[in-house]
Each structure stands twice: as structure tokens, then as C-alpha cells.
Amino acid sequence: MTLIEDARKLLESTSKIVEDGDFSEEALDKLAAAQEEFQNQGGYEQEQMVNVVLKGLGFAPEDTAQLCTDFSGGWQMRIALVRLLLSKLSLLLLDELSNHLDSAETVSVKFFCSLYD
């Protein structure tokens, strides 16, 4: 999620410039470009996608408030899988998913992988 985070930082910095009173054409153009980049990287959909993938792997909505270290090793493996699925990798090799996930969760992972470009 580095590209999204980079786009978020750029958006925050350019927004701050405008919020601080710089309404020049250059500042507004930079803000518009930053907003477009954030949108193109999927920044506005990021939280929704995280929640969809977490739910698909068996996490309850209240689990999102917990630290990763609060979970058992098996659940931490699922968190790592969520990170991989949301990383927009160009190549993702997954081996024997069904050893660690039930059938509904395996279907969720396969569905989410099918959304890759």
C-alpha cells in the first residue's frame, strides 16, 4: 500500500498549503493533481476494501480495532494474507490455501484475486 500512502501524504501536504491560505493557481493545480493521484491509486476505496477482505477471511467488524499482536498465530497469518491481497502485487503465488482457510474463506480469496488486473 505504499503507492496509496505516498499519494495520501502528497494530498495532505498540498491540502495543508491551500488550507493555510495559498489559493494561487499553482497551489490549486497541485492540489487537484494530488487528489487525482490519490483517487487513481484507490485511496478513497482503501478502507472499504480492507473491510471487505477482512470480512471475507472471517474477521468480525470489531476486530479492526485490535492490534495484530492480540491475535493468535493463525489469525496473524490471515492478517498477512490481507496485506498481500491489498498490496496490488504484479505477481502473487499462493500455495495450499485450503490448509489454513475454510471453503468460504478460500472462495473469498479466489474472488478477490480475480479482481486483479
Side-chain angles (χ1 to χ4, degrees):
M1 290 201 242
T2 304
L3 294 175
I4 292 175
E5 292 306 315
D6 291 345
R8 182 186 316 277
K9 288 177 185 175
L10 179 62
L11 179 57
E12 289 171 354
S13 66
T14 55
S15 294
K16 175 119 176 69
I17 291 169
V18 173
E19 289 169 4
D20 289 344
D22 184 353
F23 300 110
S24 66
E25 186 174 339
E26 180 184 3
L28 294 174
D29 286 346
K30 286 181 180 179
L31 176 60
Q35 288 172 328
E36 184 176 349
E37 178 64 16
F38 188 68
Q39 180 176 357
N40 290 342
Q41 293 301 329
Y44 294 113
E45 296 88 23
Q46 180 183 22
E47 188 173 334
Q48 179 184 2
M49 289 303 295
V50 168
N51 290 333
V52 166
V53 176
L54 286 171
K55 183 178 180 184
L57 290 177
F59 288 91
E62 57 272 10
D63 290 338
T64 59
Q66 294 182 0
L67 297 174
C68 183
T69 55
D70 293 341
F71 292 96
S72 68
W75 286 97
Q76 287 183 19
M77 182 274 311
R78 291 173 190 223
I79 293 168
L81 179 58
V82 169
R83 287 190 64 168
L84 286 172
L85 291 172
L86 294 172
S87 294
K88 296 185 177 179
L89 302 169
S90 58
L91 177 65
L92 180 62
L93 299 175
L94 301 171
D95 185 32
E96 299 188 28
L97 278 176
S98 59
N99 285 356
H100 304 285
L101 303 173
D102 67 23
S103 62
E105 293 161 350
T106 302
V107 168
S108 293
V109 170
K110 288 178 181 178
F111 171 76
F112 194 78
C113 287
S114 74
L115 300 178
Y116 272 55
D117 292 333

